[in-house]
Amino acid sequence: MKVLSVSSEVFPLVKTGGLADVAGALPIALKRFGVETKTLMPGYPAVMKAIRKPVARLQFDDLLGEPATVLEVEHEGIDILVLDAPAYYDRAGGPYLDATGRDYPDNWRRFAALSLAGAEIAAGLMPGWRPDLVHTHDWQSAMTSVYMRYYPTPELPSVLTIHNIAFQGQFGADVFPGLRLPPHAFATESIEYYGNVGFLKGGLQTAHAITTVSPSYAGEILTPEFGMGLQGVITSRIDSLHGIVNGIDTDVWNPSTDPVVHTHYNGTTLKSRVENRTSIAEFFGLHNDNAPIFSIISRLTWQKGMDVIAATADQIVDMGGKLAILGSGDAALEGSLLAAAARHPGRIGVSIGYNEPMSHLMQAGSDAIIIPSRFEPCGLTQLYGLRYGCVPIVARTGGLNDTVIDANHAALAAKVATGIQFSPVTASGLLQAIRRALLLYADQKVWTQLQKQGMKSDVSWEKSAERYAALYSSLAPKGK
Ligand SMILES: Nc1ncnc2c1ncn2[C@@H]1O[C@H](COP(=O)(O)OP(=O)(O)O[C@H]2O[C@H](CO)[C@@H](O)[C@H](O)[C@H]2O)[C@@H](O)[C@H]1O
Protein backbone atom coordinates (compact mmCIF):
# COMPACT_ATOMS: atom_id res chain seq x y z
CA MET A 1 0.00 0.00 0.00
CA LYS A 2 1.21 3.52 -0.84
CA VAL A 3 0.59 6.27 1.72
CA LEU A 4 1.14 10.01 1.48
CA SER A 5 1.80 11.42 4.95
CA VAL A 6 1.59 15.21 5.27
CA SER A 7 3.26 16.80 8.29
CA SER A 8 4.54 20.25 9.24
CA GLU A 9 7.56 18.75 11.03
CA VAL A 10 9.51 15.52 10.70
CA PHE A 11 12.42 14.33 12.86
CA PRO A 12 15.37 14.50 12.20
CA LEU A 13 14.86 17.36 9.70
CA VAL A 14 12.86 19.72 11.88
CA LYS A 15 11.29 19.26 15.31
CA THR A 16 9.46 21.51 17.72
CA GLY A 17 7.68 18.69 19.58
CA GLY A 18 6.36 15.16 19.60
CA LEU A 19 4.63 15.43 16.22
CA ALA A 20 8.04 15.39 14.52
CA ASP A 21 9.08 12.22 16.34
CA VAL A 22 5.92 10.41 15.28
CA ALA A 23 5.96 11.67 11.68
CA GLY A 24 9.61 10.56 11.42
CA ALA A 25 9.34 7.16 13.09
CA LEU A 26 5.96 5.80 11.96
CA PRO A 27 6.81 5.49 8.22
CA ILE A 28 9.91 3.45 9.09
CA ALA A 29 7.92 1.16 11.40
CA LEU A 30 5.20 0.73 8.76
CA LYS A 31 7.62 -0.64 6.15
CA ARG A 32 7.53 -4.12 7.60
CA PHE A 33 3.74 -4.15 7.20
CA GLY A 34 4.05 -3.51 3.49
CA VAL A 35 3.25 0.21 3.71
CA GLU A 36 5.38 2.49 1.55
CA THR A 37 5.14 6.09 2.81
CA LYS A 38 6.20 9.36 1.23
CA THR A 39 6.09 12.29 3.65
CA LEU A 40 5.30 15.79 2.38
CA MET A 41 6.70 18.61 4.51
CA PRO A 42 7.56 22.31 4.12
CA GLY A 43 10.99 23.34 2.86
CA TYR A 44 12.07 25.39 5.87
CA PRO A 45 15.69 26.65 5.71
CA ALA A 46 16.92 23.83 8.00
CA VAL A 47 15.34 21.26 5.70
CA MET A 48 16.73 22.80 2.50
CA LYS A 49 20.17 22.84 4.10
CA ALA A 50 20.05 19.24 5.31
CA ILE A 51 18.82 17.45 2.21
CA ARG A 52 21.25 16.08 -0.37
CA LYS A 53 20.62 15.69 -4.13
CA PRO A 54 16.85 16.19 -4.18
CA VAL A 55 14.97 15.52 -7.42
CA ALA A 56 12.27 17.93 -8.66
CA ARG A 57 9.01 15.98 -9.02
CA LEU A 58 6.24 18.53 -9.40
CA GLN A 59 5.99 22.21 -10.18
CA PHE A 60 3.26 24.67 -9.12
CA ASP A 61 3.20 28.08 -10.81
CA ASP A 62 0.52 29.34 -8.48
CA LEU A 63 0.06 27.44 -5.19
CA LEU A 64 -2.38 29.80 -3.47
CA GLY A 65 -0.54 32.71 -5.04
CA GLU A 66 3.08 31.60 -4.94
CA PRO A 67 5.27 29.30 -7.03
CA ALA A 68 6.43 26.04 -5.44
CA THR A 69 8.30 22.86 -6.33
CA VAL A 70 7.98 19.42 -4.79
CA LEU A 71 11.41 17.85 -4.35
CA GLU A 72 11.90 14.18 -3.53
CA VAL A 73 14.77 12.98 -1.39
CA GLU A 74 15.64 10.06 0.84
CA HIS A 75 16.78 11.21 4.26
CA GLU A 76 17.85 8.75 6.95
CA GLY A 77 15.50 6.04 5.76
CA ILE A 78 12.51 8.33 5.20
CA ASP A 79 11.20 9.14 1.72
CA ILE A 80 10.59 12.89 1.92
CA LEU A 81 8.71 15.20 -0.45
CA VAL A 82 9.86 18.71 0.34
CA LEU A 83 7.55 21.56 -0.62
CA ASP A 84 10.09 24.15 -1.69
CA ALA A 85 8.18 27.44 -1.63
CA PRO A 86 10.55 30.20 -0.47
CA ALA A 87 7.75 32.79 -0.18
CA TYR A 88 6.09 30.60 2.45
CA TYR A 89 8.89 28.83 4.26
CA ASP A 90 12.24 30.57 3.74
CA ARG A 91 12.07 32.65 6.91
CA ALA A 92 14.38 33.48 9.79
CA GLY A 93 12.15 32.22 12.63
CA GLY A 94 10.82 28.72 13.43
CA PRO A 95 8.20 26.66 11.57
CA TYR A 96 5.25 28.55 13.06
CA LEU A 97 6.63 31.59 14.90
CA ASP A 98 8.78 34.47 13.74
CA ALA A 99 12.08 35.37 15.36
CA THR A 100 10.24 37.38 18.05
CA GLY A 101 7.99 34.43 18.97
CA ARG A 102 4.82 35.63 17.23
CA ASP A 103 2.69 33.52 14.87
CA TYR A 104 3.41 34.35 11.24
CA PRO A 105 0.37 36.36 10.10
CA ASP A 106 0.04 34.22 6.96
CA ASN A 107 0.17 30.83 8.72
CA TRP A 108 -3.23 30.07 7.25
CA ARG A 109 -1.86 30.41 3.72
CA ARG A 110 1.45 28.64 4.53
CA PHE A 111 -0.31 25.52 5.80
CA ALA A 112 -3.24 25.64 3.39
CA ALA A 113 -0.57 25.60 0.65
CA LEU A 114 1.04 22.52 2.22
CA SER A 115 -2.36 20.83 2.38
CA LEU A 116 -3.29 21.80 -1.16
CA ALA A 117 0.00 20.39 -2.44
CA GLY A 118 -0.87 17.17 -0.57
CA ALA A 119 -4.31 17.05 -2.18
CA GLU A 120 -2.79 17.61 -5.65
CA ILE A 121 -0.41 14.69 -5.13
CA ALA A 122 -3.34 12.60 -3.87
CA ALA A 123 -5.17 13.50 -7.07
CA GLY A 124 -2.35 11.96 -9.08
CA LEU A 125 -0.61 15.14 -10.24
CA MET A 126 2.88 13.89 -9.42
CA PRO A 127 4.06 11.80 -12.36
CA GLY A 128 4.64 8.13 -11.60
CA TRP A 129 3.25 7.96 -8.08
CA ARG A 130 -0.23 8.17 -6.64
CA PRO A 131 -0.95 7.15 -3.06
CA ASP A 132 -3.72 4.75 -2.04
CA LEU A 133 -4.39 6.75 1.12
CA VAL A 134 -3.46 10.07 2.72
CA HIS A 135 -2.49 10.50 6.39
CA THR A 136 -2.51 14.03 7.84
CA HIS A 137 -1.39 15.33 11.23
CA ASP A 138 -2.85 18.17 13.30
CA TRP A 139 -4.28 21.44 11.96
CA GLN A 140 -1.26 22.25 9.79
CA SER A 141 -2.08 19.50 7.29
CA ALA A 142 -5.74 18.89 8.16
CA MET A 143 -6.89 20.94 5.16
CA THR A 144 -5.57 18.21 2.84
CA SER A 145 -8.76 16.16 3.24
CA VAL A 146 -10.84 19.33 2.86
CA TYR A 147 -9.25 20.04 -0.52
CA MET A 148 -9.59 16.36 -1.43
CA ARG A 149 -13.32 16.45 -0.77
CA TYR A 150 -13.85 19.19 -3.37
CA TYR A 151 -11.66 17.62 -6.04
CA PRO A 152 -13.20 16.35 -9.25
CA THR A 153 -10.98 13.20 -9.23
CA PRO A 154 -12.21 10.13 -7.30
CA GLU A 155 -11.65 10.68 -3.62
CA LEU A 156 -8.96 8.70 -1.80
CA PRO A 157 -9.39 7.59 1.80
CA SER A 158 -7.77 9.80 4.41
CA VAL A 159 -6.77 9.56 8.06
CA LEU A 160 -6.32 12.58 10.33
CA THR A 161 -4.31 12.15 13.53
CA ILE A 162 -4.88 14.56 16.41
CA HIS A 163 -1.62 15.06 18.29
CA ASN A 164 -2.72 18.15 20.15
CA ILE A 165 -6.25 19.49 20.00
CA ALA A 166 -5.20 22.68 21.79
CA PHE A 167 -3.88 23.96 18.47
CA GLN A 168 -6.78 24.14 16.03
CA GLY A 169 -5.75 26.53 13.24
CA GLN A 170 -8.63 28.97 13.58
CA PHE A 171 -8.68 32.05 11.39
CA GLY A 172 -11.10 34.82 10.51
CA ALA A 173 -13.69 34.28 7.76
CA ASP A 174 -11.76 36.84 5.69
CA VAL A 175 -9.15 34.18 4.81
CA PHE A 176 -11.78 32.01 3.10
CA PRO A 177 -11.50 33.50 -0.43
CA GLY A 178 -7.71 33.03 -0.28
CA LEU A 179 -8.18 29.28 0.28
CA ARG A 180 -9.74 28.97 -3.20
CA LEU A 181 -12.37 26.49 -2.09
CA PRO A 182 -15.87 26.47 -3.59
CA PRO A 183 -18.29 28.79 -1.71
CA HIS A 184 -20.26 25.84 -0.28
CA ALA A 185 -17.13 24.72 1.64
CA PHE A 186 -17.84 27.53 4.09
CA ALA A 187 -20.38 25.36 5.91
CA THR A 188 -20.79 23.64 9.27
CA GLU A 189 -20.18 20.19 7.76
CA SER A 190 -16.86 21.49 6.44
CA ILE A 191 -14.51 24.27 7.60
CA GLU A 192 -16.91 26.87 9.00
CA TYR A 193 -16.49 27.14 12.76
CA TYR A 194 -18.62 29.65 14.67
CA GLY A 195 -18.44 32.08 11.75
CA ASN A 196 -14.69 31.58 11.33
CA VAL A 197 -12.51 29.15 9.43
CA GLY A 198 -11.26 26.11 11.38
CA PHE A 199 -8.55 24.02 9.74
CA LEU A 200 -8.66 21.19 12.29
CA LYS A 201 -12.44 21.36 12.32
CA GLY A 202 -12.45 20.97 8.53
CA GLY A 203 -10.14 17.98 8.75
CA LEU A 204 -12.32 16.35 11.41
CA GLN A 205 -15.33 16.72 9.13
CA THR A 206 -13.72 15.48 5.95
CA ALA A 207 -11.17 12.79 6.89
CA HIS A 208 -12.46 9.23 6.51
CA ALA A 209 -10.97 8.18 9.84
CA ILE A 210 -9.77 10.16 12.84
CA THR A 211 -7.12 8.84 15.15
CA THR A 212 -5.56 10.21 18.26
CA VAL A 213 -2.46 9.04 20.00
CA SER A 214 -3.81 7.01 22.92
CA PRO A 215 -7.03 5.17 23.80
CA SER A 216 -7.57 7.24 26.97
CA TYR A 217 -7.28 10.52 25.08
CA ALA A 218 -9.69 9.23 22.40
CA GLY A 219 -12.26 8.96 25.18
CA GLU A 220 -11.31 12.25 26.81
CA ILE A 221 -11.74 14.42 23.70
CA LEU A 222 -15.41 13.50 23.59
CA THR A 223 -15.89 15.59 26.75
CA PRO A 224 -16.08 19.39 27.10
CA GLU A 225 -13.15 19.32 29.54
CA PHE A 226 -10.72 17.95 26.93
CA GLY A 227 -12.46 18.50 23.58
CA MET A 228 -11.63 22.21 23.59
CA GLY A 229 -14.82 23.08 21.75
CA LEU A 230 -14.50 20.28 19.17
CA GLN A 231 -16.10 17.57 21.35
CA GLY A 232 -19.40 17.86 19.45
CA VAL A 233 -17.76 17.41 16.05
CA ILE A 234 -15.68 14.49 17.30
CA THR A 235 -18.69 12.86 18.96
CA SER A 236 -20.53 13.04 15.65
CA ARG A 237 -17.61 11.06 14.13
CA ILE A 238 -17.30 8.56 17.00
CA ASP A 239 -17.68 5.55 14.68
CA SER A 240 -14.56 6.67 12.81
CA LEU A 241 -12.48 7.54 15.89
CA HIS A 242 -9.53 5.37 16.96
CA GLY A 243 -7.01 5.69 19.80
CA ILE A 244 -3.61 4.26 18.84
CA VAL A 245 -0.83 4.80 21.34
CA ASN A 246 2.47 6.23 20.05
CA GLY A 247 5.62 4.20 19.99
CA ILE A 248 9.18 5.49 19.90
CA ASP A 249 12.10 4.82 17.60
CA THR A 250 13.94 2.28 19.74
CA ASP A 251 17.07 2.57 17.56
CA VAL A 252 17.36 6.33 18.08
CA TRP A 253 16.42 5.90 21.76
CA ASN A 254 18.60 3.03 22.92
CA PRO A 255 20.66 3.39 26.12
CA SER A 256 23.14 0.74 24.97
CA THR A 257 24.05 2.54 21.73
CA ASP A 258 22.86 6.18 22.00
CA PRO A 259 25.79 8.25 20.66
CA VAL A 260 25.15 11.24 22.94
CA VAL A 261 25.08 9.10 26.08
CA HIS A 262 28.54 9.05 27.72
CA THR A 263 28.23 5.65 29.41
CA HIS A 264 26.10 2.99 27.78
CA TYR A 265 24.09 0.51 29.84
CA ASN A 266 21.21 -1.94 29.78
CA GLY A 267 18.83 -3.47 32.32
CA THR A 268 21.62 -5.50 33.91
CA THR A 269 24.19 -2.68 34.10
CA LEU A 270 22.02 0.06 35.58
CA LYS A 271 24.79 1.10 37.96
CA SER A 272 26.63 2.65 34.99
CA ARG A 273 23.92 5.32 34.82
CA VAL A 274 25.72 7.08 37.68
CA GLU A 275 28.36 8.43 35.30
CA ASN A 276 25.69 10.03 33.12
CA ARG A 277 24.17 11.43 36.30
CA THR A 278 27.47 13.13 37.10
CA SER A 279 27.49 14.78 33.66
CA ILE A 280 23.94 16.08 34.17
CA ALA A 281 24.82 17.40 37.63
CA GLU A 282 27.75 19.24 36.06
CA PHE A 283 25.67 20.71 33.22
CA PHE A 284 22.89 21.91 35.54
CA GLY A 285 25.23 23.02 38.35
CA LEU A 286 23.75 20.49 40.80
CA HIS A 287 25.50 18.97 43.83
CA ASN A 288 26.70 15.52 42.88
CA ASP A 289 25.34 13.84 46.02
CA ASN A 290 22.96 10.94 46.63
CA ALA A 291 19.75 12.98 46.46
CA PRO A 292 17.76 11.89 43.40
CA ILE A 293 17.66 14.10 40.32
CA PHE A 294 14.14 14.65 38.98
CA SER A 295 14.22 15.80 35.36
CA ILE A 296 11.78 17.85 33.36
CA ILE A 297 12.08 18.02 29.56
CA SER A 298 9.17 19.98 28.27
CA ARG A 299 7.58 22.96 26.69
CA LEU A 300 7.17 25.29 29.65
CA THR A 301 3.42 25.80 29.45
CA TRP A 302 0.23 25.49 31.47
CA GLN A 303 -0.77 22.37 29.46
CA LYS A 304 2.37 20.68 30.69
CA GLY A 305 1.64 21.69 34.32
CA MET A 306 4.82 23.75 34.59
CA ASP A 307 3.12 26.27 36.88
CA VAL A 308 2.69 23.41 39.37
CA ILE A 309 6.42 22.68 39.18
CA ALA A 310 7.18 26.37 39.82
CA ALA A 311 4.76 26.37 42.77
CA THR A 312 6.26 23.25 44.38
CA ALA A 313 9.97 23.60 43.56
CA ASP A 314 10.88 24.87 47.04
CA GLN A 315 9.10 21.97 48.74
CA ILE A 316 10.60 19.38 46.37
CA VAL A 317 14.03 20.62 47.43
CA ASP A 318 13.01 20.69 51.12
CA MET A 319 11.86 17.09 50.82
CA GLY A 320 15.28 16.05 49.52
CA GLY A 321 14.94 16.10 45.73
CA LYS A 322 16.93 17.95 43.07
CA LEU A 323 15.46 19.33 39.86
CA ALA A 324 17.03 19.51 36.38
CA ILE A 325 14.73 21.44 34.08
CA LEU A 326 15.21 21.73 30.28
CA GLY A 327 12.67 23.61 28.22
CA SER A 328 11.35 26.85 26.88
CA GLY A 329 7.96 28.44 26.44
CA ASP A 330 5.88 30.82 28.47
CA ALA A 331 8.11 33.76 29.53
CA ALA A 332 6.50 34.10 32.98
CA LEU A 333 7.02 30.39 33.70
CA GLU A 334 10.61 30.55 32.49
CA GLY A 335 11.11 33.46 34.91
CA SER A 336 9.57 31.61 37.90
CA LEU A 337 11.67 28.51 37.27
CA LEU A 338 14.87 30.54 36.88
CA ALA A 339 14.02 32.34 40.13
CA ALA A 340 13.58 28.97 41.87
CA ALA A 341 17.01 27.91 40.59
CA ALA A 342 18.51 31.14 41.91
CA ARG A 343 16.99 30.42 45.36
CA HIS A 344 18.41 26.88 45.40
CA PRO A 345 21.88 26.78 43.85
CA GLY A 346 23.11 23.20 43.61
CA ARG A 347 19.59 21.84 44.06
CA ILE A 348 17.69 23.24 41.07
CA GLY A 349 19.21 23.77 37.63
CA VAL A 350 17.30 25.29 34.72
CA SER A 351 18.38 25.41 31.08
CA ILE A 352 16.14 27.49 28.87
CA GLY A 353 16.19 26.33 25.26
CA TYR A 354 15.91 23.31 23.04
CA ASN A 355 18.70 20.76 23.39
CA GLU A 356 18.13 17.37 21.77
CA PRO A 357 21.40 15.71 22.94
CA MET A 358 20.88 16.91 26.52
CA SER A 359 17.33 15.49 26.46
CA HIS A 360 18.86 12.06 25.78
CA LEU A 361 21.51 12.40 28.47
CA MET A 362 18.92 13.47 31.05
CA GLN A 363 16.92 10.31 30.39
CA ALA A 364 20.13 8.28 30.69
CA GLY A 365 21.31 9.76 33.97
CA SER A 366 18.54 11.29 36.03
CA ASP A 367 16.56 9.15 38.44
CA ALA A 368 13.04 10.14 37.44
CA ILE A 369 11.21 12.34 34.97
CA ILE A 370 8.24 14.39 36.13
CA ILE A 371 5.38 14.92 33.65
CA PRO A 372 2.56 16.81 35.40
CA SER A 373 0.49 17.52 32.25
CA ARG A 374 -3.08 18.77 32.59
CA PHE A 375 -3.82 16.89 29.41
CA GLU A 376 -1.51 14.71 27.37
CA PRO A 377 -2.68 13.03 24.16
CA CYS A 378 0.11 10.48 24.44
CA GLY A 379 3.37 11.95 25.70
CA LEU A 380 6.74 10.68 24.54
CA THR A 381 9.08 11.66 27.36
CA GLN A 382 7.60 9.01 29.67
CA LEU A 383 8.24 6.42 26.93
CA TYR A 384 11.86 7.57 26.61
CA GLY A 385 12.05 7.44 30.43
CA LEU A 386 10.79 3.85 30.50
CA ARG A 387 13.30 2.84 27.84
CA TYR A 388 16.18 4.50 29.74
CA GLY A 389 15.38 3.40 33.31
CA CYS A 390 14.41 6.97 34.24
CA VAL A 391 11.27 6.38 36.31
CA PRO A 392 8.27 8.39 35.05
CA ILE A 393 6.20 10.34 37.59
CA VAL A 394 3.12 11.27 35.58
CA ALA A 395 -0.29 12.87 35.81
CA ARG A 396 -3.07 10.30 35.43
CA THR A 397 -4.33 11.58 32.08
CA GLY A 398 -4.41 10.61 28.39
CA GLY A 399 -1.52 8.54 27.15
CA LEU A 400 0.37 8.93 30.42
CA ASN A 401 -2.39 6.86 31.99
CA ASP A 402 -2.12 4.23 29.25
CA THR A 403 1.65 3.76 29.29
CA VAL A 404 2.81 3.96 32.93
CA ILE A 405 1.80 1.36 35.55
CA ASP A 406 1.48 2.98 38.96
CA ALA A 407 3.61 1.59 41.78
CA ASN A 408 0.71 0.82 44.10
CA HIS A 409 1.04 -2.07 46.56
CA ALA A 410 -0.55 -4.64 44.27
CA ALA A 411 1.52 -3.62 41.22
CA LEU A 412 4.72 -3.59 43.27
CA ALA A 413 3.94 -7.00 44.72
CA ALA A 414 3.23 -8.37 41.25
CA LYS A 415 6.42 -6.70 39.98
CA VAL A 416 4.59 -4.97 37.14
CA ALA A 417 4.89 -1.33 38.30
CA THR A 418 6.85 1.00 36.01
CA GLY A 419 6.34 4.48 37.52
CA ILE A 420 4.13 6.72 39.60
CA GLN A 421 0.80 8.23 38.60
CA PHE A 422 -0.92 11.08 40.39
CA SER A 423 -4.12 13.05 40.23
CA PRO A 424 -5.26 15.81 40.37
CA VAL A 425 -2.62 18.09 38.86
CA THR A 426 -2.29 20.36 41.88
CA ALA A 427 0.57 21.25 44.19
CA SER A 428 -0.60 18.73 46.78
CA GLY A 429 -1.19 16.04 44.16
CA LEU A 430 2.33 16.43 42.81
CA LEU A 431 3.97 16.66 46.25
CA GLN A 432 2.22 13.47 47.30
CA ALA A 433 3.70 11.77 44.22
CA ILE A 434 7.18 13.13 44.99
CA ARG A 435 6.84 11.85 48.57
CA ARG A 436 5.99 8.39 47.22
CA ALA A 437 8.92 8.55 44.80
CA LEU A 438 11.35 9.47 47.57
CA LEU A 439 10.12 6.58 49.73
CA LEU A 440 10.52 4.13 46.86
CA TYR A 441 13.93 5.59 46.01
CA ALA A 442 15.07 5.09 49.61
CA ASP A 443 14.69 1.34 49.07
CA GLN A 444 17.14 0.86 46.20
CA LYS A 445 16.01 -2.72 45.61
CA VAL A 446 12.45 -1.58 44.93
CA TRP A 447 13.62 1.38 42.83
CA THR A 448 15.85 -0.83 40.68
CA GLN A 449 12.92 -3.19 40.19
CA LEU A 450 10.83 -0.21 38.94
CA GLN A 451 13.58 0.81 36.53
CA LYS A 452 14.04 -2.72 35.20
CA GLN A 453 10.33 -3.28 34.76
CA GLY A 454 10.07 0.03 32.87
CA MET A 455 12.92 -1.00 30.60
CA LYS A 456 11.02 -4.20 29.77
CA SER A 457 7.91 -2.26 28.65
CA ASP A 458 7.22 -2.52 24.94
CA VAL A 459 7.50 1.11 23.86
CA SER A 460 8.38 0.26 20.25
CA TRP A 461 6.20 1.06 17.25
CA GLU A 462 5.65 -2.63 16.48
CA LYS A 463 2.09 -3.08 17.78
CA SER A 464 0.90 0.43 16.97
CA ALA A 465 2.31 0.40 13.44
CA GLU A 466 0.38 -2.84 12.91
CA ARG A 467 -2.79 -1.09 14.06
CA TYR A 468 -2.22 1.83 11.66
CA ALA A 469 -1.55 -0.66 8.86
CA ALA A 470 -4.81 -2.47 9.69
CA LEU A 471 -6.70 0.82 9.75
CA TYR A 472 -5.23 1.82 6.37
CA SER A 473 -6.24 -1.55 4.89
CA SER A 474 -9.78 -1.21 6.20
CA LEU A 475 -10.10 2.13 4.36
CA ALA A 476 -8.17 1.57 1.14
CA PRO A 477 -9.66 -0.09 -1.93
CA LYS A 478 -9.47 -3.88 -1.76
CA GLY A 479 -6.24 -5.47 -2.94
CA LYS A 480 -4.04 -2.54 -1.82
N1 LIG B 1 13.77 21.76 25.57
C1 LIG B 1 13.78 20.61 24.93
N2 LIG B 1 14.94 20.13 24.43
C2 LIG B 1 14.97 18.94 23.77
N3 LIG B 1 13.88 18.18 23.53
C3 LIG B 1 12.72 18.63 24.00
C4 LIG B 1 12.59 19.84 24.73
N4 LIG B 1 11.30 20.02 25.07
C5 LIG B 1 10.62 18.96 24.58
N5 LIG B 1 11.48 18.12 23.94
C6 LIG B 1 11.16 16.90 23.21
O1 LIG B 1 9.99 17.18 22.42
C7 LIG B 1 9.14 16.04 22.44
C8 LIG B 1 7.86 16.41 23.15
O2 LIG B 1 6.92 15.43 22.87
P1 LIG B 1 5.64 15.20 23.75
O3 LIG B 1 4.96 14.01 23.19
O4 LIG B 1 6.05 15.08 25.17
O5 LIG B 1 4.77 16.53 23.65
P2 LIG B 1 4.18 17.50 22.51
O6 LIG B 1 3.19 18.32 23.23
O7 LIG B 1 5.27 18.19 21.79
O8 LIG B 1 3.49 16.52 21.47
C9 LIG B 1 2.13 16.32 21.07
O9 LIG B 1 2.23 15.26 20.10
C10 LIG B 1 2.84 14.08 20.62
C11 LIG B 1 3.00 13.11 19.46
O10 LIG B 1 1.80 12.50 19.13
C12 LIG B 1 2.05 13.52 21.78
O11 LIG B 1 2.79 12.44 22.35
C13 LIG B 1 1.81 14.59 22.84
O12 LIG B 1 0.97 14.08 23.87
C14 LIG B 1 1.23 15.84 22.20
O13 LIG B 1 1.01 16.86 23.16
C15 LIG B 1 9.91 14.93 23.12
O14 LIG B 1 10.66 14.24 22.15
C16 LIG B 1 10.85 15.70 24.06
O15 LIG B 1 11.99 14.97 24.40
Side-chain angles (χ1 to χ4, degrees):
M1 169 173 317
K2 299 193 288 284
V3 171
L4 174 69
S5 173
V6 189
S7 178
S8 58
E9 45 186 282
V10 181
F11 182 84
L13 284 165
V14 65
K15 167 171 166 179
T16 72
L19 164 61
D21 288 336
V22 173
L26 181 57
I28 294 174
L30 279 166
K31 280 183 190 172
R32 82 184 63 146
F33 298 101
V35 177
E36 172 211 313
T37 310
K38 292 189 196 290
T39 304
L40 177 68
M41 72 179 301
Y44 310 114
V47 176
M48 299 309 293
K49 207 171 142 208
I51 57 175
R52 295 279 166 264
K53 299 192 184 152
V55 178
R57 297 283 269 112
L58 178 62
Q59 186 78 39
F60 297 102
D61 295 332
D62 176 10
L63 187 67
L64 299 184
E66 299 293 346
T69 308
V70 175
L71 307 171
E72 183 162 16
V73 69
E74 154 108 16
H75 188 85
E76 299 199 12
I78 319 172
D79 196 347
I80 303 276
L81 298 172
V82 177
L83 185 61
D84 180 19
Y88 293 136
Y89 309 123
D90 185 10
R91 303 201 179 169
Y96 319 118
L97 309 176
D98 67 18
T100 67
R102 271 188 294 249
D103 282 339
Y104 294 113
D106 60 345
N107 269 348
W108 65 274
R109 198 193 297 271
R110 298 172 72 233
F111 293 105
L114 174 70
S115 301
L116 178 55
E120 299 274 18
I121 294 169
L125 228 73
M126 195 168 86
W129 193 82
R130 190 179 181 208
D132 303 308
L133 179 142
V134 177
H135 189 163
T136 63
H137 302 269
D138 278 351
W139 74 267
Q140 294 93 332
S141 56
M143 288 289 285
T144 309
S145 57
V146 176
Y147 283 112
M148 284 163 68
R149 170 174 286 185
Y150 301 104
Y151 253 81
T153 48
E155 212 177 334
L156 288 186
S158 55
V159 176
L160 165 63
T161 296
I162 304 170
H163 296 266
N164 197 337
I165 208 167
F167 304 109
Q168 300 185 353
Q170 285 181 32
F171 305 98
D174 55 316
V175 310
F176 183 73
L179 296 173
R180 300 190 188 166
L181 284 162
H184 61 275
F186 193 71
T188 320
E189 58 286 350
S190 184
I191 63 167
E192 189 272 335
Y193 189 55
Y194 295 110
N196 292 320
V197 165
F199 279 24
L200 184 62
K201 153 85 182 351
L204 292 171
Q205 292 286 41
T206 51
H208 293 79
I210 299 165
T211 70
T212 190
V213 287
S214 70
S216 283
Y217 193 65
E220 289 169 353
I221 53 177
L222 300 171
T223 68
E225 192 188 346
F226 293 97
M228 305 224 166
L230 290 171
Q231 61 276 7
V233 180
I234 298 171
T235 303
S236 74
R237 302 283 333 265
I238 195 162
D239 292 341
S240 309
L241 176 66
H242 309 262
I244 305 178
V245 77
N246 285 334
I248 62 172
D249 186 325
T250 47
D251 291 330
V252 172
W253 293 89
N254 182 349
S256 13
T257 55
D258 191 327
V260 304
V261 167
H262 302 182
T263 310
H264 293 139
Y265 60 94
N266 58 36
T268 59
T269 55
L270 277 168
K271 284 204 165 57
S272 305
R273 293 180 90 254
V274 75
E275 290 168 44
N276 299 321
R277 197 164 181 271
T278 303
S279 310
I280 301 168
E282 229 164 72
F283 180 84
F284 283 94
L286 300 174
H287 298 318
N288 196 13
D289 54 21
N290 287 332
I293 298 181
F294 297 118
S295 274
I296 286 157
I297 306 163
S298 183
R299 283 186 284 118
L300 303 179
T301 61
W302 183 87
Q303 176 206 334
K304 300 289 185 184
M306 288 300 124
D307 51 315
V308 181
I309 295 291
T312 52
D314 294 332
Q315 283 121 303
I316 293 175
V317 167
D318 287 348
M319 288 158 71
K322 291 187 301 229
L323 285 171
I325 302 174
L326 170 65
S328 63
D330 186 283
L333 284 173
E334 289 180 0
S336 320
L337 293 168
L338 286 167
R343 287 196 299 277
H344 300 283
R347 312 290 297 176
I348 300 181
V350 174
S351 174
I352 300 295
Y354 190 87
N355 187 338
E356 186 80 23
M358 183 48 59
S359 75
H360 284 238
L361 191 60
M362 289 167 80
Q363 299 280 13
S366 61
D367 298 286
I369 179 157
I370 310 178
I371 310 166
S373 307
R374 289 200 164 79
F375 65 94
E376 196 59 77
C378 178
L380 296 174
T381 51
Q382 84 280 12
L383 302 180
Y384 301 140
L386 291 169
R387 176 97 171 126
Y388 278 61
C390 178
V391 175
I393 301 173
V394 303
R396 187 175 297 120
T397 188
L400 300 174
N401 185 37
D402 293 342
T403 54
V404 174
I405 301 174
D406 181 60
N408 55 46
H409 287 301
L412 280 173
K415 293 195 165 49
V416 294
T418 58
I420 292 169
Q421 291 194 351
F422 70 94
S423 172
V425 178
T426 56
S428 62
L430 175 60
L431 288 173
Q432 172 86 357
I434 298 291
R435 208 166 289 127
R436 288 176 62 207
L438 289 167
L439 278 173
L440 292 166
Y441 186 79
D443 185 340
Q444 274 297 304
K445 225 174 114 199
V446 175
W447 190 260
T448 307
Q449 170 60 34
L450 266 184
Q451 291 178 294
K452 284 190 173 166
Q453 196 55 37
M455 290 178 86
K456 282 189 206 151
S457 308
D458 181 5
V459 291
S460 76
W461 268 109
E462 188 70 25
K463 285 200 195 90
S464 297
E466 191 174 4
R467 287 205 57 200
Y468 276 110
L471 175 65
Y472 292 167
S473 301
S474 72
L475 298 168
K478 294 265 173 294
K480 296 290 183 183

